[in-house]
Structure formats: C-alpha cells, structure tokens
Amino acid sequence: MENIKWAIRRLRVYWHLILLSLLGSVLEATGTAGVSLLIKSLVDEVFLLREGEQIVKIVISLMGLVFLSQLGNFTVRLFSSLYTELEMKKLRAEAFGRLMRADYSAFMGISAGEFASRVISDMNLYRNLIGSYAIKLIREPITVLFLFGVLLYRDWVLTLSLLILLPLLAFAVRYFGTKRGKHIKKAQEGYANITDRLFSSFLGFDSIRSFKAQSMFESLFQKLNSLLFRSSFKSELYFAMNSVFNYTFGYFVVAMVILYGGYRIVEGSLTPGDFISYITALVFLQNPLMEAQKGVMEVRSSLPVIQRIREVLNLKEEEEGSLPLRSLRQGIRVEGLKVKLGNVELLKDINLSIHKGEKIGIMGDTGSGKSTFLRVLAGFVPYEGSVKVDELELKHISKEELRELFLFLSQDSFVFPGTVRENLLIAEDRDEAELWEALRLAGCDFVEDLDQQVSPKSLSGGERQRLALARLFLRSPEVLLLDEVTSALDAKKEEEVLNNLFERFKDKTMVLVAHRFSNILRCDKVFVFKEGRVVFQGEPKTAIEFFLQSP
C-alpha cells in the first residue's frame, strides 16, 4: 500500500493533465455508450418498421458518436503520454542526482550492473505502470460505468443478476496478479544479474579471450539466462491465463444473455431493438471491463518494481559536515580508526600521524586496507574512531571545503566519453595554455588536440592514468591522496611523471600507495599495512626490508 501512496504523491503534481485525461475518458465513454443506445432505433425503426427517413439521421448520429469517442481516446493518449514522459524525465534526473550525492558506502558491495538495471529496466517498467497500466484504471472504469448505465436502463433485473459474478472476477485479479507479481520481481532481479554479467564480460573481454574462458562465461551466462527465462515465461504465462479466463468468462456471460433474450423476444416481452441494444452494450462492456481487470492485475504485479526504484531514490546521501577548513596548518592524526562493511572489518585500530608537508608511502599486500584508508582521508568512507585534521574531526568538516584541500586519485582512472578538454575541465576551469601545461606534466604525449575525442576503450591503461593525472596538475590541493596512480606506466614515463609530481607539489602533503619500491624510496615515511592494521612505520629502506621479510 505504501508503494501506491508513493506513486500517487509523485503524480499529484500532474493533476491538471490527469484531469484532462479523465475528461477524455468521459468523452470516449459517452460516445461508446451512445452507440449502444442508438442501436435500438436502428433495429426497431429502420430494420423492422422500415422508416427510411430515419436512416440519414441515425448514420449522422452514429458518426458523431464515433468521432466523440475517438476524440476522447486521442485526449486520453495525449495527456497521459505527456504526464508520463514528464514524470520519467523528472525521475531519471532524481536518480542520477541521487547517485551524484550518495554516500560512498551506499555503493560498497553494489555492482554497476545492478544499479544500471534499476535505473534503466525498472524505470521502463514503472513507465508502463503509470502510462499504460494505471491509465486503464482511469479510462476503462468510466466506460464500464456508462455502459452499465445502458444495461440498467434496458433491463435492470438481468443486469443486477449479473453482479453475482463479480466475486469471481475479484478472485481472478487477486490470484493472477499475485502470481505474476512474484515472477516479475524475479525477472527484474534476473535482468540486473544479466546486465552485471554483460558489464563485467565487456570490461574483461581481453582476459576472457586470453585465458580461453569463453565457454566458461557462456555457461555462467546461460545459467542466469535460464533463470530469467523461467521468471519471464511464468510472468507471461499467468498474464495469458488471466486473459483466457477473462474472455472465456465474458463470452459465457454473452451466451447466457443471448439465451435469456431470445426467450423474451419469442414471448413478446422484449423488442429486437431493446435486445440488440442490450447485447451491443454488453459486448462493448466486455473489453473495457477485461482491460480494467488486467490493469488492476498489472498494477498489483508491478508494485515490487516501485520498491526497487524507491531504494535508488532513498540512497543515503553523503553527510555534509559544518566545520570550516581553510588550510592545513599542522597535519592529520588518526587514533583507533576502524572501518566495517557489514560484519567484515576492513580497517582495525589504525593509529598514526601525518605532518604537514610530509611525503607518506603506504605499502601492503592486496586487500590489506590501503585504498580504504585513503578513501577515509578523502571523506568517502564512514568510520569509527578519530581522524583529526588540525584538531578538527574529519567527519564534521564541510565536504566542500575538505575536497578543496584533499584530492583523491584512484588507480582506476576515470575517463568518460568526450573530448580531452571536457575530461580535464572536471578538475578546474582553466585556459588552453594551462590545460596544455597540465598535459605536458602528466606525460600525455598522445594528445594532439584538446577537442580530440577519447573514451575508456580508445585509450590504453597508461594513457587513461596520465590523462587522469593531468587533472591533478590543474589543482592546488594541500593534501594529495594517490592510490597507485602510475601503476600502468612504463618505468621511464613513470619516472618523468613522478619527478614532475614531486617537484610541483614539493611543499604539499602527499600520501602515496605504491607497490614499486622506487616510488616508496621517494617518501619521508612509510606505513606498512597487513590485514587492515598498520604493522610497521618508519623510514623507506627499513620499511621495504620489513615488507620483504614479513610472511
């Protein structure tokens, strides 16, 4: 019920468009009901009494009612499409905005494929829900109501006796809707898994081919594909079963009415015109009644998707601190630092100090907590314990001001499809001379033009890293947090770039995660991480010896 309330609250802003759709439904229903009423005059006055002068009047009236019905149909489609597309535009913007403002921890453990599925596949189903399924619950019941009025007018006893069949329809809605809803939810989860598999396979295409693992990945994909097939098939199966029930039930009712009406015409208590008018209204009633029933079933079965979309829109936002931080005067002191992901401790009781202007090296095996530690200092990851920046607790510092002074750069170099200029300008708005200088310092000799198009696939790993490093030279941070940012560069190019980096930021504080000992030897002090703890801190040469000797 809460999901329905959520959707209604969102759609209230479009009340004027929904009202116009409702007006269109009234026009459509009026035209349809009018046609069924007009049938009596056509049969009794033209076909039986043969009053020729009535033919033109009835035909003109018939065309007028058809035009009115189709005008209403167009109005419904126009304004329902308008509010649907406006809502989807707004919803997509909200989802992307939430992504941009979400707390980093909200994505720890969530794959890109899962998030993409929720934004694309789930929202497409939501679009159908508000633009197709829900509109059936607006237009079809109005048509049913008008035609039901015609049936009551023609024969109220027979019409009221048909109402005893409504509980059977209600049972069908509940049964088929619940069954289909369960499998739609499984299908959406299946689409998320398929999307994730496609993402990862695309990114790992080279490795899959190199290890001749195509068959393995095809097998893994087939398992997911089979699960999705079963869920999707069962969803459509219950939809088809509901449709078969609806139409079989509808024609059974029509058959019973024909039997009843036939006896009454034979005994003279009912004119052929009245009967044909009644049966026409009943036939006209069947489609909107079944569509309304399907609309209820489709809405019921699609409600789980709303919950998944709400989870995206309710992603925890990054907590904005309030304490100002204009510059780094003293340094950073870490005491009792802990970081958890679920029940797993990524960092355990970290205690260390970093003084202003120091060049800090961080070593450790893969998974020892190095990258997590840098993300804590960058203000991305929530933590327990204390991280003081000039005696100010990190979590309470304004994120805007923190990131003006602290700059984090990952080894997973972010390059998006666009021009070199666009990729650089996410760092700082600078003129062309400064952009070219940053490219030179980062060793980006592959760039020929600032308007050159680049993408993650068009650049090598080393080129992506150098382009990402060029952004760094456009900024003047107090603290640089660098997570193996030259790992994909060859030794000569790395030496060149690091020389420029250490020269450009010689007075700045730098925390450098690296595996290459040549990088570590450039630092003033080194911390060695192991299984989420700092197990050694000291001079570079001693730290390297400790690292090599440790089990």
Side-chain angles (χ1 to χ4, degrees):
M1 192 62 186
E2 187 57 38
N3 288 332
I4 296 177
K5 291 179 180 178
W6 178 84
I8 291 173
R9 285 195 298 270
R10 290 192 61 89
L11 296 178
R12 277 189 308 196
V13 68
Y14 311 110
W15 65 269
H16 54 297
L17 299 176
I18 295 174
L19 191 62
L20 288 170
S21 295
L22 189 63
L23 175 62
S25 297
V26 171
L27 295 177
E28 186 177 16
T30 301
T32 303
V35 170
S36 65
L37 284 171
L38 195 64
I39 292 297
K40 172 179 170 57
S41 299
L42 182 65
V43 173
D44 287 345
E45 296 177 20
V46 176
F47 294 165
L48 295 181
L49 299 180
R50 302 191 179 188
E51 297 179 3
E53 65 275 9
Q54 293 295 321
I55 295 177
V56 175
K57 185 192 298 184
I58 291 173
V59 168
I60 292 173
S61 299
L62 179 65
M63 292 307 299
L65 290 169
V66 169
F67 175 78
L68 184 66
S69 175
Q70 291 309 304
L71 176 63
N73 180 38
F74 176 78
T75 302
V76 171
R77 290 178 180 272
L78 174 64
F79 291 107
S80 63
S81 296
L82 183 56
Y83 85 72
T84 298
E85 295 307 324
L86 285 171
E87 166 64 0
M88 293 311 300
K89 177 185 175 184
K90 179 181 177 183
L91 188 62
R92 287 191 294 266
E94 286 181 17
F96 191 78
R98 181 64 69 164
L99 168 64
M100 292 295 98
R101 298 188 302 273
D103 190 278
Y104 182 84
S105 62
F107 295 101
M108 295 175 72
I110 297 180
S111 67
E114 167 71 11
F115 187 82
S117 174
R118 292 195 178 206
V119 172
I120 299 171
S121 179
D122 288 6
M123 285 192 183
N124 188 52
L125 196 53
Y126 175 72
R127 180 184 181 279
N128 292 335
L129 174 63
I130 64 171
S132 177
Y133 307 157
I135 204 66
K136 290 179 182 179
L137 301 184
I138 296 176
R139 67 189 293 183
E140 307 302 350
I142 293 176
T143 304
V144 168
L145 185 64
F146 275 55
L147 290 172
F148 187 73
V150 173
L151 295 178
L152 284 173
Y153 175 70
R154 292 299 181 209
D155 193 325
W156 65 271
V157 175
L158 174 60
T159 302
L160 292 179
S161 66
L162 293 177
L163 293 180
I164 62 174
L165 299 173
L166 285 181
L168 189 57
L169 278 177
F171 169 78
V173 168
R174 183 177 181 84
Y175 177 77
F176 291 114
T178 301
K179 289 288 188 181
R180 189 167 186 242
K182 180 179 72 173
H183 293 293
I184 281 181
K185 182 179 180 181
K186 288 184 177 179
Q188 290 306 108
E189 292 170 351
Y191 279 118
N193 292 332
I194 287 281
T195 304
D196 191 34
R197 180 66 64 186
L198 287 171
F199 265 62
S200 59
S201 298
F202 181 77
L203 293 174
F205 183 80
D206 296 341
S207 296
I208 293 171
R209 285 293 180 90
S210 297
F211 287 95
K212 297 186 293 186
Q214 296 98 313
S215 297
M216 173 187 167
F217 273 78
E218 285 179 7
S219 176
L220 293 171
F221 185 86
Q222 286 300 336
K223 290 178 182 178
L224 296 176
N225 202 20
S226 296
L227 290 173
L228 177 58
F229 163 76
R230 284 197 289 272
S231 299
S232 299
F233 176 74
K234 287 183 179 180
S235 168
E236 292 304 313
L237 177 63
Y238 282 110
F239 182 79
M241 289 169 65
N242 178 73
S243 182
V244 169
F245 171 84
N246 287 344
Y247 284 98
T248 302
F249 176 80
Y251 282 110
F252 170 77
V253 171
V254 169
M256 292 300 99
V257 169
I258 291 174
L259 183 64
Y260 165 84
Y263 277 114
R264 288 197 57 190
I265 290 174
V266 170
E267 66 181 21
S269 61
L270 187 70
T271 70
D274 282 325
F275 175 70
I276 297 299
S277 176
Y278 189 93
I279 202 72
T280 300
L282 190 62
V283 171
F284 282 175
L285 176 68
Q286 179 173 339
N287 188 62
L289 184 62
M290 296 305 110
E291 288 299 309
Q293 194 257 21
K294 282 196 291 186
V296 172
M297 187 195 77
E298 288 164 338
V299 167
R300 280 179 57 90
S301 62
S302 300
L303 290 181
V305 171
I306 291 182
Q307 183 59 41
R308 284 166 55 88
I309 292 174
R310 289 177 65 191
E311 289 171 3
V312 171
L313 297 182
N314 290 330
L315 282 172
K316 180 184 176 183
E317 285 198 21
E318 185 175 55
E319 294 183 7
E320 179 61 52
S322 59
L323 297 179
L325 182 68
R326 307 304 182 195
S327 64
L328 184 70
R329 296 188 302 273
Q330 300 169 18
I332 304 165
R333 189 173 73 253
V334 179
E335 296 177 345
L337 174 65
K338 295 180 182 178
V339 172
K340 289 184 177 181
L341 176 58
N343 295 323
V344 180
E345 280 193 306
L346 303 180
L347 295 179
K348 310 167 188 175
D349 197 28
I350 303 291
N351 297 279
L352 54 85
S353 294
I354 301 171
H355 299 110
K356 179 181 179 179
E358 278 191 318
K359 304 298 184 283
I360 301 297
I362 296 183
M363 302 177 67
D365 296 328
T366 301
S368 59
K370 307 183 300 297
S371 298
T372 302
F373 178 67
L374 259 62
R375 284 184 166 87
V376 169
L377 296 184
F380 293 141
V381 178
Y383 61 88
E384 299 175 19
S386 175
V387 180
K388 293 287 184 67
V389 180
D390 286 352
E391 301 306 319
L392 299 178
E393 188 60 46
L394 178 68
K395 67 180 69 174
H396 299 146
I397 296 173
S398 162
K399 293 295 191 296
E400 186 74 19
E401 296 193 12
L402 177 70
R403 287 173 191 149
E404 194 66 34
L405 301 181
F406 283 55
L407 183 58
F408 172 76
L409 198 59
S410 168
Q411 63 175 320
D412 300 321
S413 308
F414 173 56
V415 173
F416 59 90
T419 65
V420 171
R421 186 193 309 272
E422 290 168 340
N423 271 272
L424 291 178
L425 290 180
I426 72 168
E428 198 84 10
D429 189 10
R430 297 294 182 89
D431 60 36
E432 288 205 6
E434 290 172 305
L435 296 180
W436 279 113
E437 176 63 9
L439 289 169
R440 184 189 69 78
L441 292 172
C444 295
D445 47 21
F446 59 91
V447 174
E448 299 176 356
D449 191 304
L450 289 175
D451 294 319
Q452 177 181 329
Q453 291 287 328
V454 293
S455 70
K457 274 293 181 180
S458 69
L459 301 179
S460 68
E463 288 171 338
R464 290 197 301 271
Q465 281 194 339
R466 281 179 278 162
L467 186 55
L469 277 164
R471 298 182 188 128
L472 186 60
F473 289 105
L474 293 172
R475 294 283 299 274
S476 299
E478 292 283 335
V479 180
L480 287 78
L481 307 170
L482 309 178
D483 187 7
E484 298 200 65
V485 294
T486 58
S487 59
L489 274 58
D490 60 65
K492 183 179 178 181
K493 185 63 69 174
E494 181 183 44
E495 182 73 14
E496 174 192 329
V497 172
L498 285 176
N499 285 340
N500 293 337
L501 191 63
F502 275 78
E503 176 61 28
R504 181 66 172 263
F505 301 104
K506 59 185 176 183
D507 298 325
K508 306 299 183 181
T509 306
M510 188 182 298
V511 183
L512 177 71
V513 172
H515 279 119
R516 292 177 183 170
F517 297 154
S518 57
N519 297 350
I520 293 297
L521 289 171
R522 291 173 176 267
C523 299
D524 303 317
K525 185 167 57 178
V526 177
F527 299 114
V528 179
F529 278 63
K530 185 178 181 64
E531 296 179 352
R533 300 179 186 275
V534 174
V535 294
F536 178 88
Q537 55 181 295
E539 294 182 351
K541 288 184 179 179
T542 312
I544 292 172
E545 290 173 5
F546 175 86
F547 179 73
L548 291 173
Q549 293 171 5
S550 60

